[in-house]
Each structure stands twice: as C-alpha cells, then as structure tokens.
Amino acid sequence: MSRLSVDRRVLRVGPTGARERPDRLAVEEPLELRINGTAATVTMRTPGHDIELALGFLAGEGIIAGPEDVVNARHCADTTTYNIIDVTLAREFERDTVVRSFATTSACGVCGKESIEDVRVGGAFVLADDAARIGVGTLLALPDLLRERQRTFDRTGGLHAAALFDTEGRLLVVREDVGRHNAVDKVVGWALANGHRPGRGLVLQVSGRASFELVQKAYLAGIPMLSAVSAPSSLAVDLARDVDLTLAGFVRGDSLNLYSRPERVELGETLAQDITADEVATLPAEAHDHAPAEVR
C-alpha cells in the first residue's frame, strides 16, 4: 500500500563517460482529503502514514484540536489506489469556509503581523508556561539522531524528515515525506492519536529550514520547541517570539542559533551568553548573518 521509492532508468554522466543505470526515486502521489464524505483538498505526498497526515493537516488548520473531534478516519473503500482519506468529524463541516482556508495556506498567502495575530487567536494551547528545558548538547545531537532514521532518504536522497523528541533526547516518532510540511503533519497526526496533544515538553526536529508554516504547526500542536538544521525565515522568527516558542536554527555540529525563548536551552556554565535574545533582534543583519548555507 505504501510504496516509498521506485526505480527508474537514468543516464549517469561523469568524468569517465556516460552509462545507463537504475536510480531510486522517492514516490510522490496525490492524496485527496475528504471531510464527512465531501472532497476538501488534495495534497502531494509520499504514500504511508496517510491517516496521520490527514489528522495533522486538520490540526494545523485549526479544524480539530484533539481525538475527541474525530469520529473516524479511513482510506476510502471505493478505491484501489489508497489515495483518498475520509475523515468523519464529530461536528458539521462547513466546506466553503475551510476550503478557502486551505487555498490560502497552500498558496503561502500569509504574511505580516495580521497573520501572526490570526494564528495566535486560533491556537488552543499556551506555550508561555511550558517549563520544558533541554541541554544544549542534547539539542545539538537531535539532527544526527533524526538523520540515522531517514531510511528512505538514504535510498533516494529526495525526502524531508521530521521527528518528535523528549527533552532527554529520546525519539518518539519520525516521519519522511517529499514535502516538509507533510512530514510535520504526519508527526503531529501521530502525536494527536497517541496522547501527545498538546506536545508539552517536546521538541520538533526538522531536516531542513524553519518556515512560518512549520512554526505555526508546532504552535497549534502545543509543541514548545522547534529545531531546524537550516535557516528560519524572518516571519517564522516573528511568530515564534510572539507565541513563546523556542526556535533554534542552523543546528549542526557543535553550534546553533537561538532566535526566541533561549532560556529553555540549558547552555551550561562553560558557555557565556554575551547578548540577550532581545539584543539579537536589534542587531544589523550583517552582525548575525554568518550561518552556513542550507545543505539540503
């Protein structure tokens, strides 16, 4: 049911010439999401963990807040492709209103202070009082722990990944997908179905950059910390600061950048904090735009 990769013939060109060979590719297929039997949206994804993806997507849109909002979620029986999921909600579904919300999100039609305020109003959880703390060494280890479990990426090189860890560095769940948003939705869907919503005391680790939408998904899931291998966007930082989420970027090797709520990361006595997070926000761009380029 869940083909994660397929082989295709390619012409490999290199210093010694060209030859035909098989190449393994990550699978990408459409998934239609139906709500109460009505088609709502279509997303492109890597097949597998589709129900988690559907639940996480609906949670990220503020349509459901917990398992009590869902009566049933299943692959439709009238198809052999397993590319349709129908979610039955515990309440009536207003299709026109929600479809407009989906269209805005998929088109990245969100920006500025007004959007941040809309997200904050729509959030069901308060992160400010989450007392989670994580050691900087543990936080720095998370990308490698995630990378070790990216099995399909090892075969294809074409998937993003997301994972949930506790503050001791124990892995709860890892998911891969061609879309970074989908990988996060699958993790959030797993959390919702397994008693971790809100995700108090947890860290969401992602394999790429931190966008506004990923911070939004973490906040709406009640996850207090988001760690990214690459850079955050300016709007991601603005939202993280506004909703009291700890955002770490360029988490690689022995260094990282903390953009918001740094007190959740225990630096230890050997690491001096020369400036505060508020002072970082006032620095000119060239003073802290020294991080390495995105690697994936």
Side-chain angles (χ1 to χ4, degrees), residues 104 108-118 212-213 235 238:
T104 298
C108 298
V110 290
C111 61
K113 182 173 173 54
E114 183 176 339
S115 296
I116 291 178
E117 290 175 345
D118 289 343
F212 172 91
E213 289 86 357
L235 198 59
D238 291 345

Side-chain angles (χ1 to χ4, degrees), residues 41-145:
T41 190
V42 174
T43 186
M44 303 302 294
R45 98 301 189 195
T46 299
H49 307 291
D50 290 336
I51 290 177
E52 292 175 356
L53 171 58
L55 295 179
F57 180 83
L58 294 176
E61 295 297 324
I63 295 170
I64 62 174
E68 67 278 2
D69 295 328
V70 179
V71 175
N72 188 29
R74 60 182 179 84
H75 284 94
C76 287
D78 59 351
T79 177
T80 59
T81 63
Y82 297 97
N83 283 340
I84 302 175
I85 292 286
D86 191 10
V87 179
T88 303
L89 301 181
R91 57 177 176 79
E92 192 172 333
F93 167 54
E94 297 179 5
R95 181 183 184 280
D96 291 342
T97 300
V98 176
V99 167
R100 282 197 298 273
S101 171
F102 290 168
T104 298
T105 299
S106 63
C108 298
V110 290
C111 61
K113 182 173 173 54
E114 183 176 339
S115 296
I116 291 178
E117 290 175 345
D118 289 343
V119 172
R120 183 163 189 166
V121 169
F125 309 114
V126 177
L127 301 185
D129 61 353
D130 194 311
R133 296 291 186 273
I134 187 170
V136 66
T138 302
L139 184 57
L140 287 167
L142 298 189
D144 287 341
L145 293 175

